Amino acid sequence: IKITADKLKELNPYVTVRTEHLPINDMNVEFLKQFNIIVICNNYKLSHMCKLNKFCHDNGIKFILCNAFGLMG
C-alpha cells in the first residue's frame, strides 16, 4: 500500500495522501468524516463495505473499494 500511496502522491503534490492500517471496526464516524475520499484495499465483508459505502454517500465522501478474489480476480 505504501508504494501505491507514494505513486499516487507523485500525480499531484498538492494533494495529501495518507494511509491507515486500522481494523474496520476501529474506524469511527469522526475519523471517517475527515476525509474527502476513502479507498479500501482489503478483503472485508461485503456487508461492512455496503454500510461504509452508504455512510460515505450520505456524507459526500467518495468511496473506492479494491479487492482481488483469487488468482484471476
Side-chain angles (χ1 to χ4, degrees):
I1 292 175
K2 174 141 176 33
I3 293 169
T4 304
D6 291 342
K7 293 293 183 186
L8 188 59
K9 288 177 189 177
E10 290 176 10
L11 293 174
N12 188 342
Y14 298 105
V15 174
T16 301
V17 176
R18 187 170 119 189
T19 60
E20 294 289 338
H21 302 279
L22 296 172
I24 196 74
N25 295 334
D26 290 348
M27 296 180 193
N28 63 42
V29 170
E30 293 307 314
F31 172 76
L32 294 172
K33 282 187 174 181
Q34 68 182 317
F35 300 106
N36 296 319
I37 301 171
I38 295 175
V39 180
I40 301 289
C41 299
N42 209 331
N43 215 1
Y44 292 112
K45 287 184 178 181
L46 183 58
S47 61
H48 290 148
M49 295 300 96
C50 289
K51 288 178 187 174
L52 182 55
N53 181 49
K54 181 172 178 2
F55 168 82
C56 289
H57 181 76
D58 292 347
N59 288 279
I61 301 168
K62 281 81 174 164
F63 178 74
I64 300 171
L65 176 61
C66 308
N67 271 336
F69 299 100
L71 182 61
M72 303 304 266

